[in-house]
Amino acid sequence: LLTPLAPISAKRRPLPSPQTDPLPSAPLQDIRNTVGNIPMEWYQDFPHIGYNLEGKRIYKPIRNKDELDMFLEKMENPDYWRTVQDKMTGADIKLTDEQVELVHRLQKGQFGDVHFNPYEPAVDFFTHEVMIHPVTNRPADKRSFIPSLIEKEKVSKLVHAIKMGWIKPRKPKDDTPTYYDLWAHEDPNSILGRHKMHVPAPKMKLPGHEESYNPPPEYLLSEEEKLAWEQQEPAERKLNFVPQQYRCLRAVPAYSRFIHERFERCLDLYLCPRQRKMRVNVDPEDLIPKLPKPRDLQPFPTTQALVYRGHTSLVRCLSVSPSGQWLVSGSDDCTVRFWEVCTARCLKTLPVGGVVKSVAWNPNPTVCLVAVCVEQSVLLVNPCLGDKLLYGATDQLLESYEAPEEERVQPVQWATATVEEHSKGVRLVVQHSKAVKQVTWHGKGDYFASVVSDNSNMQVLIHQTSKRWSQNPFRKSKGLVQCVLFHPIRPYFFVATQRYVRVYNLLKQELTKKLMTNCKWVSSMAVHPGGDNVICGSYDSKLAWFDLDLSTRPYQLLRHHKKALRSVAFHKRYPLFASGSDDGTVIVCHGMVYNDLLQNPLLVPVKVLKGHVTTLDLGVLDVLFHPTQPWVFSSGADGTVRLYT
Amino acid sequence: ATVTRRLCILKGIYPHEPKHKKKVNKGSTAARTFYLLKDIKFLLHEPIVNKFREYKVFVRKLRKAYGKSEWSTVDRLKDNKPSYKLDHIVKERYPTFVDALRDLDDALSMCFLFSTFPRTGKCHVQTIQLCRRLAVEFLNYVIASRSLRKVFLSIKGIYYQAEVLGQPITWITPYTFAHDHPTDVDYRVMATFTEFYTTLLGFVNFRLYHSLNLLYPPKIDGQADVELKPTEGKEYAMDSESYLERLSALSASLARVVAPTHDDEVEMDEFPVEGETAEQMDARRKEQEALEKHKKLFEGLRFFLNREVPREPLAFIIRCFGGQVSWDKSLCIGATYDVSDPSITHQIVDRPRVERQVVGRYYLQPQWVFDSVNAKLCLPVADYFPGVLLPPHLSPFVTEQEGDYIPPEKLKLLAMQRGENPDEESEGEDEEEEEEEDDNDKEDEEEGDESEKEEEMKLKKMEEQKTQTNKVLPVKVTAGKLRLEDRQRLEQEQQSEEKRLAIMMMKKREKYLYKKIMFGKKRKVREANKLAAKRKAHDTAVKEERKKSKKAQQA
C-alpha cells in the first residue's frame, strides 16, 4: 500500500517533513479531500474544510482540545510522537511503522524506496573510443553545409555598423598602473601663467584649547555666555561650537556637524574669492610721527592763569589793545567790558543795547579806539583807558574831521554820537542797512572793514575813519561772506565765503587767488604776521593751513578738535597759533614758518588747554593771543574769559 | 552648470573679487561671483571636457539600449565605458611635490571622512573603499617614517599633525560613530572633491613610499605575514578584504624594497650654514636631538588596548612613537599578544574600574597617550589612573605669544619640559604669578586713583582761585605745604601727553590704522583678563568646596 503512495507525496512536496506529510488516513474510511493543492487557510472561516469524493462537505473536527488536553495526550498516548494532523481533513493520523521508516530514510537523505539502488553499474552507451560505425545513420542536414542567412544578415549588419563607426572595437585594457611617480621630473620653474597669480587656499584654523574634549574650566561658557552664543547669528559667532567637557574619552559623542563643516570647507575652496591681504605688521609706535618735543618749542601757554568774570551771557568776541594792557570783550548780555589784562579787573562796562557780535581794537598804538558791532551799527568807542594824552589825541583826531563840500552817496550813514553816548565813550556810529557780523581793522588803523549779513553785493564794506567815508568794494556777491581780513603788510584783502577764501588785491582791484579750503563751512580765518600763511577754521572741525606761496589747496588739514571750530588766531611774534572749539578746548600749536622758501612750515600741536565749561553745546567762542607775551585769551559760552600763560 | 562646477573644483579655479565692483557689475553693488575671463578660457582648453562629453553620450546610449532591451549592446557599451584620469591636472596644479604636500590637509580630512561612510547610499562603494585604502596607506607611511608630531582630542574629532618633508600636515578624523547624514549638504560637490583628492593622495602616497624604500602598494613585512596568515586571516574575512584589514590593523611593519640594514641611522654630516653662529648651530643640534628623542617616545613599551578604547587612533599613535601594541584577538585582526602577556607595561583602559588587575603594568586612560605625545615626554601616570578626574587636555596647536592667556596647566607642562620639578616649583610659580597679577591690578587701580586725585586737586585749586578772585578782602596767608613731586610720574605724564599730541598730528589713514591696532590689542588683553578671572573664580570655588568637604569629614 505504501509504495504507490510514496512517489505521489514526493511529487507534491519536494521537502516532506513528518508533521506536514499529508498521508491519507487509515484505508478503512477513505476521506479524500477534493479541494486540491490550495492554501488551506482559505477555509479558515468555514465550518468545513473541503469536499469528499461524493461532493459532501468534510466538517472540521470539533476542536475542543486546550493546552491541558494536549499535554495530557502527550503524556498518556504512547503513539503521540507518530501522530500527525492531516491538514486537508483536519484528522489525526497515526503513522505506521513503514511510514516512520520512510520518514527516517528521507531525513537521512536516502531514497524512499528501500529497494532502489543508486549505485548500479553504468552502461557505457556512447563511449569515448571512436567506433567504426556511426551510432545513427542519419544523413547530415542541409543547413549544416549551407551558410546561414540569418547569421549573414547579422554579420553584415555588424560590418556595416563597424564601417559606419557606430561600433567601436573593444579598447585594449590599460596596463599602466594607476599611481606612479608623478613628480619624477619636477621642474620648480614650470609654473603656468595662470599660477603666477594663483593664491593657494588658506589652511583651516587649528583648534585651540576650547575645542578640547576636556578643556581647562575657564574655557567653558557660563550660562550668560551660552545664551549670548545662542542668540548670535551663526555667521557672527566667534566659535562655531559650544565648548564642552566630558569626563572620559568614552563619553565623547559624535560631532553632528562634522560633515557640514567639511562641506562648508569645500564650498569655501571653490566658491570663495581669494585675495592676498597684506597684513599690516607694523609697530603702532612707529606710526606715531616723530615730532619735536613740545618742551623744546617753548614758550607757549600751558596753564590757566586768570579768569575774567562779569559777563552774564556768552562772550562772543575779544580784542586786545596793541600795548597788551587792556582787553575788551563783547557779550550776548548787550554789554562791552574793558578789562585790565594783568589783574582781571573789569574797568569799564559799556551797555550798548544789543548783542555784540564783534569787537576790534585799533591796531595803531597811537590811537585808542575800539570798533564794536552792535546789531545794524558799528560803534567807534574811545575807552579812555591808559595814557590820557593818547586818548585825548584820539578824540582830537576824530573831532578834526571836516565834512566835504559835496555830499557823497554812501552805502552807510556816519553819525557822531549823542552827548549821552559820548559820555559813555562812543564817538562815532556807522549805521548800516543790515545787521553787522564782523568788523576788522587794517594794520595802519585808519581803514576798517565790516561784514553785513546780507545776500547782496553789499556784504563787505570798507570804511575810512579819518574821512568818514565808506565804499563797497564788490560789484557782485560771491556767496555768503563769513569773515574778512586785511593783509598785515601788503594791500591784500581776504574774504572767506562758505567754502573758499578769496584774496583780492586792493590796489589793482582784482582777484589774485582763490583758496580751496576743503571744508564744508568756514567759520574763521587768521593770517600769519608774515602774511604768507593763512589758517581757516571750519564748522566741520577742521583747521586748514594754507601756504600762499605753495598752492591754493591747504598745506595741511588738521583735525584736532572733536567739534566745530569757532575761531583761530595767530600770535604776532611767536610761532604759535591757537584754535578754539565747541568741545571746550583751546589747542595751541607751534607753527614755524621759515624764511627759506624751500622749507615747509612745521606744525606741531603743543598744548591742549581746557577750562571752559560747555553750555548750550557751545564751548570756546573766541581765542586771541596777547600781542607781546605768549599768552592766549579765550572767551566761552559760560560767560568767562580766560587767560592761559 | 554641473560640468562647470566639476571643472572648477578639479582645476582649482576660484572666483575673484573685482577691483571695481561697480564697474564690472553694471553699476550695482549686489553680491555676485566673478571669475576671471582667463580662467574660464583656461577651463575650455582642458582635454577632460571632451571626456565629460563622451561620458554624457555614453550614458545616453546606455539608457537607450536598456530601454530597447538590447542586452548585447549594453554589454558592448559597458565594455567601452569612457574613463578619464586626473593625473595631468594634479601635475598641473601642483608642479612640485612640496606644493602637493602643502595642500594635503583637506585631501586627508576628506578621505578619512569618506572612509567612514556606510557602504550604501551616499556615494559609490569603490570611492569609499579607495578612500579607506589610501587613508590606511598614509597612516602606515606615517608610522614607518615616524613623522607624527601632535595629536589632539577635540569634540569634533581627532586632530593629527605630521611633519612630512618639513611640511606640517594636519588632518582631522571623526569619531567612529555612524553619521546622521544631513540633508542640506550636496554630496555631489563633496564627491567631486574626493575624486580629485584620491588621485592626489594616491600619487603622494606612491612618492612617499618610494622615498622610504617601501613597496607600493604596501606589503606587510614577510615574517609577520607568515605568522598571521594561517591562524586568523581566513576565518576573519574574505581573502580580498583581509589584506586591507590586516594593513589597517596598523600592527605589522611594511616590506621594504631593500632589506633594512641594522645600522640604519646614518649620521648626518653637518655642514655649517654660512652666517650661522655657534649658538644657532647648537640650538639646531639640540632641536634635532629633541626630535629624535620624541620619535622614540614609546620605544620599548608594550601596550594593550582594552576593547572600549578607540583602537585605530591609539594603535596608530603608539606605533608612530615606537611602542608595541596589541588588543583582544576578537576585536580586530592583527593582535600580536594576549592580555595575559606578562611583558605588557601599559594597559589602556577607559572604564571607571578594572576588575582584575595584573601586577606589573600601569592601567591608564587613553588621554595619557595623547598628552604624553604632545608633551614630548612620558607624563607621570598618577593623574591618569582609571576613574580618576583627568587633568585638562590642552591643544598642542596653540603657541602662546606674549600677553596671551596661558592656562596654568600649560605653565606646569612647560616647566616640566624644561626639566624642573613639576610639583613644587610650578605651584610656586602659579602663586607668584597670581600675586603678580594682583600687583598689576592694584597698580592699575592706583593709577586710576591717582589721576582722579589729580583732577580733584586741580578742581580744588581752581575753586580756591575763584574764591580768591571773588573775595579779595579776607586775605589769609597760610603756610605753604611742600608738595613732593614725583619726578618719574611727572615725566610719565609729560610723555603720555606728548604722545597724545603726536597722535593728533597723524594722518587720517594712519590714525585709523593706529586706532584699529590699539583696539585689537586692548581686546586681546581684555579677553586674557577675562579668562584669568574665570579661572581664578573656578579655583577658589573648588578650594572652598574642598575645604567644606574636609570639614564635613572632620565633623
Side-chain angles (χ1 to χ4, degrees), chain B residues 170-184:
Chain B
T170 318
W171 72 96
I172 179 173
T173 61
Y175 288 115
T176 46
F177 292 104
H179 299 281
D180 47 341
H181 285 278
T183 49
D184 52 345

Side-chain angles (χ1 to χ4, degrees), chain B residues 15 34 154 173-174 240 278 349 370 454 468 478 513 550:
Chain B
F34 295 96
S154 90
T173 61
S240 58
V349 172
F370 291 85
E454 269 170 39
Q468 279 172 9
T478 46
L513 186 65
K550 254 188 198 173

Side-chain angles (χ1 to χ4, degrees), chain B residues 380-532:
Chain B
V381 290
D383 294 339
Y384 297 92
F385 286 146
V388 168
L389 189 66
L390 288 166
H393 180 60
L394 297 173
S395 165
F397 302 111
V398 181
T399 45
E400 277 93 355
Q401 273 138 15
E402 212 179 310
D404 286 352
Y405 172 73
I406 308 177
E409 287 84 10
K410 179 107 185 188
L411 290 172
K412 222 183 262 183
L413 187 74
L414 289 175
M416 223 188 285
Q417 279 171 346
R418 268 181 265 124
E420 291 162 16
N421 194 356
D423 294 327
E424 298 163 16
E425 291 178 31
S426 60
E427 274 177 26
E429 272 180 18
D430 283 353
E431 279 165 23
E432 274 171 32
E433 279 209 352
E434 277 170 20
E435 279 168 24
E436 275 174 24
E437 277 170 17
D438 289 345
D439 287 355
N440 286 340
D441 290 347
K442 274 177 200 166
E443 272 173 27
D444 289 345
E445 281 168 20
E446 276 169 19
E447 275 178 21
D449 286 352
E450 277 162 16
S451 56
E452 276 174 25
K453 274 178 200 165
E454 269 170 39
E455 277 175 19
E456 275 174 27
M457 291 281 278
K458 271 185 192 171
L459 280 177
K460 269 185 192 172
K461 258 200 227 161
M462 273 163 55
E463 276 170 23
E464 279 169 24
Q465 281 177 357
K466 280 178 206 168
T467 48
Q468 279 172 9
T469 47
N470 288 348
K471 301 166 193 170
V472 185
L473 280 177
V475 178
K476 202 178 169 188
V477 179
T478 46
K481 274 182 192 168
L482 193 71
R483 251 186 80 196
L484 277 177
E485 282 196 340
D486 195 352
R487 274 271 183 85
Q488 251 185 341
R489 231 193 55 216
L490 269 178
E491 211 157 275
Q492 234 174 20
E493 262 169 42
Q494 206 167 11
Q495 271 178 2
S496 65
E497 196 187 345
E498 272 169 26
K499 200 169 159 190
R500 234 177 303 144
L501 290 171
I503 287 168
M504 283 200 319
M505 273 310 279
M506 271 200 226
K507 276 172 197 154
K508 201 173 173 187
R509 192 182 293 164
E510 281 179 358
K511 201 190 243 172
Y512 174 72
L513 186 65
Y514 178 82
K515 275 187 181 161
K516 233 177 156 182
I517 293 174
M518 292 318 266
F519 177 77
K521 272 189 173 176
K522 268 181 198 161
R523 191 179 50 191
K524 227 177 181 181
V525 170
R526 217 177 329 140
E527 270 166 16
N529 285 345
K530 196 178 160 194
L531 281 178

Side-chain angles (χ1 to χ4, degrees), chain B residues 232-431:
Chain B
E232 287 150 84
K234 270 176 193 167
E235 58 191 64
Y236 182 76
M238 286 191 289
D239 246 1
S240 58
E241 282 184 5
S242 72
Y243 157 70
L244 183 61
E245 289 289 335
R246 247 179 299 136
L247 197 65
S248 62
L250 305 171
S251 66
S253 49
L254 303 176
R256 287 175 188 259
V257 178
V258 186
T261 48
H262 270 286
D263 43 4
D264 206 8
E265 291 155 27
V266 183
E267 267 201 26
M268 294 288 276
D269 292 337
E270 286 184 7
F271 298 102
V273 182
E274 237 175 274
E276 203 174 51
T277 60
E279 270 180 34
Q280 279 173 319
M281 285 255 289
D282 223 34
R284 213 160 50 118
R285 197 178 305 140
K286 241 180 212 172
E287 212 170 273
Q288 198 69 32
E289 274 169 20
L291 188 63
E292 286 302 316
K293 210 177 147 197
H294 187 206
K295 279 182 183 172
K296 291 175 184 167
L297 183 66
F298 293 145
E299 205 121 289
L301 303 184
R302 281 165 82 84
F303 289 83
F304 188 84
L305 307 179
N306 256 20
R307 56 170 61 248
E308 72 274 6
V309 169
R311 191 197 63 81
E312 197 179 297
L314 275 166
F316 170 60
I317 294 166
I318 291 167
R319 291 260 297 132
C320 270
F321 293 95
Q324 280 176 299
V325 64
S326 180
W327 44 84
D328 199 284
K329 211 186 285 175
S330 60
L331 182 64
C332 182
I333 202 168
T336 43
Y337 45 86
D338 210 32
V339 208
S340 51
D341 197 323
S343 62
I344 292 172
T345 55
H346 294 73
Q347 185 165 346
I348 308 297
V349 172
D350 199 1
R351 49 179 84 175
R353 238 162 359 105
V354 182
E355 293 291 326
R356 270 178 294 146
Q357 295 206 347
V358 180
V359 180
R361 63 176 81 159
Y362 292 121
Y363 287 85
L364 295 173
Q365 299 205 35
Q367 197 189 317
W368 181 81
V369 177
F370 291 85
D371 281 352
S372 297
V373 166
N374 290 339
K376 301 182 182 175
L377 46 91
C378 283
L379 291 171
V381 290
D383 294 339
Y384 297 92
F385 286 146
V388 168
L389 189 66
L390 288 166
H393 180 60
L394 297 173
S395 165
F397 302 111
V398 181
T399 45
E400 277 93 355
Q401 273 138 15
E402 212 179 310
D404 286 352
Y405 172 73
I406 308 177
E409 287 84 10
K410 179 107 185 188
L411 290 172
K412 222 183 262 183
L413 187 74
L414 289 175
M416 223 188 285
Q417 279 171 346
R418 268 181 265 124
E420 291 162 16
N421 194 356
D423 294 327
E424 298 163 16
E425 291 178 31
S426 60
E427 274 177 26
E429 272 180 18
D430 283 353
E431 279 165 23

